[in-house]
């Protein structure tokens, strides 16, 4: 048996039913998808990839990318999907840390990735829609390789508040158990058509959206990226959509968003960042639908959800999923009474297996009793509804992407004109939060705030770049000498409107 393959892919073998359609109307059947995955799996084996080897992917969103992921699962190869915005310097870290054997990239990225792949001793291959690229499906398929529920399926990299990015190890059952719960809870079935506009290198677009579709035998309209007009055009053909809050705020700006336009829809899901209660209410007024907000993390998949039937309470992330335990604790892991604010901890079959090659980091965040410390500050009501009220971790979430201030500060501090810096997240009408850098220049060296973004973009993905920069004489500090980011956020809070 291959735990994930048997549940997600095997039932669809030979099926003519549509798995996905693209905006131009082209359709890929489930049978063709499973067949392609089997042949990519054979190509992986032919290339020398063995069960347990790591395969890094920096690919534009496509059906082929999904087939490669299905192939890795079939072949027992551990895949690590990487944001296409990552620079060569960022990819360099991931392929070395994961000990990747192969890096499969879009041809457009191969040029910049070739030097880092070579230096790291990682085989670089290209994949392109339509079968172009050096990595080609084999003529025949590989039989599924046996994988137990606890075997590793994927590494997803996530940063901590300090230090290096960590590879969260997710097992076959972490992914499958969560997808099963969501299909059930959100009532997904074969008649559903999911409008898929999320990227597929993160949990939301890949493990939540795609795995739920596969498990339910539903189909999806697969958009290369989110585009409000395109979503409006295709909405009448869909029954469900999953998105980050920015999707919903941008769609609210579309005059065509009416109950009529959303008539075929049965469910809108939001997550990855806080959905303002105001957006929830505006959406209801405009469409007649109440957005279902849920809460998750890379390390845990989904933890909490508002109900399908019952009250979808604006500003809350609902209750713990069936089979998942959540508790609000003080810093020691002692549970606090309902109504008190503390750190949210989670336990269940969804919780990851630890960080790759980082036993100390794993021990810091996973308690001996199996609870994972999320770093999110929350309060739980008497009825179990959870409200996320803040973050104990220094993290900015912009348009659903995580940006770790410590990583951006380290790059800024390395510049010759900078003495020190503080990177903060400020409210932003479109992205929820956006990044600002407050910089103290080195005495006697001319500051160059205008050139900052261009310099940083050589090393950092563009979504991490500060959208505002302020040069100051000194940073506010408390008596312990620690930079007071809350004070900085208060000073600059209106910066992005
Ligand atoms: C793009 N840019 C951004 C972001 N996206 N800047 C800050 N934050 C962002 N999220 C920058 C680009 O670098 C570019 O800058 C400029 O904005 C325009 O780029 P474009 O690609 O056109 O942007 P967009 O199409 O407007 O994208 C915004 C977006 C997208 C639709 C909100 O970021 C998106 O699809 N986000 C979803 C992220 C997601 O799936 N998160 C789930 C993570 P320049 O001009 O300088 O080059 S999983 C997770 O968090 C957990 C597990 C969970 O609970 O789900
Ligand atoms: P990631 O590291 O990409 O998995 O991001 C996980 C983080 O996203 C969580 O720890 C939360 O801070 C945040 N998050 C996800 N869903 C929600 C939500 N519905 N409301 C508030 N924050 C959320």
């Amino acid at each position: 048996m291959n735990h994930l393959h048997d549940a997600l892919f095997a039932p669809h073998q030979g099926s003519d039913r549509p798995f996905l359609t693209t905006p131009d109307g082209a359709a890929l059947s489930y049978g063709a998808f499973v067949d392609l995955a089997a042949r990519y799996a054979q190509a992986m084996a032919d290339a020398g990839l063995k069960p347990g080897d790591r395969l890094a992917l920096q690919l534009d969103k496509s059906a082929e990318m999904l087939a490669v992921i299905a192939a890795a699962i079939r072949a027992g190869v551990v895949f690590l999907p990487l944001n296409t915005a990552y620079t060569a310097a960022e990819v360099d870290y991931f392929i070395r840390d994961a000990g990747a054997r192969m890096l499969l990239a879009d041809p457009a990225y191969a040029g910049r990735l070739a030097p880092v792949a070579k230096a790291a001793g990682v085989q670089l291959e290209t994949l392109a829609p339509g079968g172009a690229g050096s990595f080609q499906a084999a003529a025949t398929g590989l039989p599924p390789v046996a994988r137990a529920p606890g075997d590793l399926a994927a590494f997803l990299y996530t940063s901590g508040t300090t230090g290096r990015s960590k590879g969260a190890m997710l097992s076959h059952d972490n992914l499958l158990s969560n997808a099963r719960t969501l299909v059930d809870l959100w009532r997904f079935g074969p008649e559903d058509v999911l409008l898929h506009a999320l990227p597929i290198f993160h949990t939301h677009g890949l493990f939540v959206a795609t795995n739920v579709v596969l498990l339910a035998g539903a189909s999806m309209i697969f958009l290369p990226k989110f585009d409000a007009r395109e979503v409006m055009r295709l909405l009448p053909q869909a029954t469900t959509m999953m998105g980050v809050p920015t999707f919903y705020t941008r769609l609210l700006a579309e005059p065509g968003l009416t109950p009529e336009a959303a008539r075929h829809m049965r469910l809108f899901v939001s997550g990855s960042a806080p959905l303002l209660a105001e957006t929830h209410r505006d959406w209801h007024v405009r469409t007649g639908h109440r957005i279902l907000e849920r809460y998750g993390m890379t390390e845990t998949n989904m933890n909490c959800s508002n109900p399908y039937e019952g009250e979808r309470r604006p500003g809350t992330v609902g209750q713990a999923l069936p089979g998942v335990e959540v508790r609000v604790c003080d810093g020691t892991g002692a549970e606090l009474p309902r109504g008190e604010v503390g750190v949210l901890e989670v336990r269940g079959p969804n919780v990851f297996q630890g960080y790759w090659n980082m036993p100390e980091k794993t021990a810091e965040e996973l308690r001996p009793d199996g609870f994972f410390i999320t770093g999110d500050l929350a309060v739980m009501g008497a009825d179990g509804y959870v409200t996320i009220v803040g973050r104990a971790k220094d993290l900015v979430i912009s348009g659903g992407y995580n940006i770790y201030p410590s990583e951006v500060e380290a790059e800024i501090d390395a510049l010759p004109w900078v003495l020190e810096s503080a990177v903060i997240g400020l409210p932003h009408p479109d992205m929820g939060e956006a990044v600002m850098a407050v910089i103290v220049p080195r005495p006697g060296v001319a500051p160059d705030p205008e050139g900052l973004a261009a310099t940083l973009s050589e090393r950092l993905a563009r979504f991490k770049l500060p959208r505002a920069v302020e040069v100051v004489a000194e940073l506010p500090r408390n008596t312990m000498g620690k930079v007071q980011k809350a004070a900085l956020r208060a000073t600059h809070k209106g910066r992005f409107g």
Side-chain angles (χ1 to χ4, degrees), residues 156-429:
L156 258 67
Y157 273 81
T158 167
S159 289
T161 35
T162 53
R164 304 178 297 132
S165 233
K166 301 164 287 187
M169 300 188 287
L170 294 155
S171 71
H172 278 234
D173 200 53
N174 288 150
L175 304 181
L176 184 55
S177 63
N178 209 236
R180 282 198 165 124
T181 303
L182 299 179
V183 166
D184 229 35
L185 195 72
W186 297 344
R187 311 279 165 86
F188 268 80
E191 300 314 317
D192 271 313
V193 180
L194 177 93
L195 195 45
H196 193 303
L198 288 159
I200 53 171
F201 40 67
H202 283 316
T203 298
H204 198 164
L206 189 56
F207 300 142
V208 185
T210 310
N211 285 358
V212 160
V213 165
L214 281 160
L215 202 57
S219 71
M220 52 187 166
I221 305 172
F222 209 53
L223 304 185
K225 61 181 289 204
F226 178 79
D227 176 276
R229 293 269 157 81
E230 193 64 348
V231 167
M232 288 304 304
R233 183 176 77 80
L234 294 164
L235 209 52
Q237 298 171 32
T239 64
T240 55
M241 186 179 81
M242 296 184 191
V244 297
T246 301
F247 284 19
Y248 293 102
T249 50
R250 287 189 184 177
L251 287 168
L252 279 167
E254 290 295 316
L257 186 75
T258 58
E260 179 57 23
R263 194 164 54 88
H264 284 94
M265 295 295 286
R266 68 167 186 88
L267 180 64
F268 291 97
V269 177
S270 176
S272 307
L275 182 78
L276 295 178
E278 182 194 331
T279 310
H280 188 284
R281 292 191 194 103
D282 289 351
W283 192 264
H284 183 229
V285 170
R286 291 282 297 282
T287 68
H289 288 274
R290 293 186 194 278
I291 298 172
L292 184 154
E293 185 172 9
R294 65 26 169 210
Y295 157 82
M297 280 188 80
T298 299
E299 288 92 332
T300 62
N301 292 294
M302 298 305 102
N303 298 316
C304 296
S305 172
N306 273 281
Y308 189 78
E309 272 158 22
E311 190 192 358
R312 297 183 193 165
R313 199 176 296 165
T316 81
V317 296
Q319 295 158 315
L321 294 178
V324 176
E325 297 167 83
V326 300
R327 64 185 190 193
V328 175
C329 294
D330 66 10
T332 69
E335 193 163 354
L336 293 168
R338 297 282 169 110
E340 284 189 26
V341 173
V343 177
L344 198 66
E345 301 192 356
V346 186
R347 179 165 72 181
N350 53 321
V351 173
F352 75 142
Q353 309 299 301
Y355 298 112
W356 169 250
N357 274 348
M358 290 188 185
E360 336 68 50
K361 291 276 175 206
T362 304
E364 274 169 29
E365 297 186 31
L366 262 180
R367 294 196 185 279
D369 63 3
F371 272 91
F372 174 69
I373 307 165
T374 64
D376 288 309
L377 297 176
V379 57
M380 196 190 295
D383 52 9
Y385 275 68
V386 173
T387 306
I388 308 290
V389 296
R391 294 171 205 138
K393 50 195 174 188
D394 192 12
L395 160 71
V396 179
I397 304 185
S398 174
Y401 284 152
N402 288 3
I403 301 168
Y404 287 87
S406 61
E407 185 190 10
V408 184
E409 286 160 2
E411 294 294 344
I412 296 176
D413 293 350
L415 301 176
W417 63 272
V418 174
L419 184 65
E420 61 171 352
S421 64
V423 165
I424 51 173
L426 299 174
H428 188 280

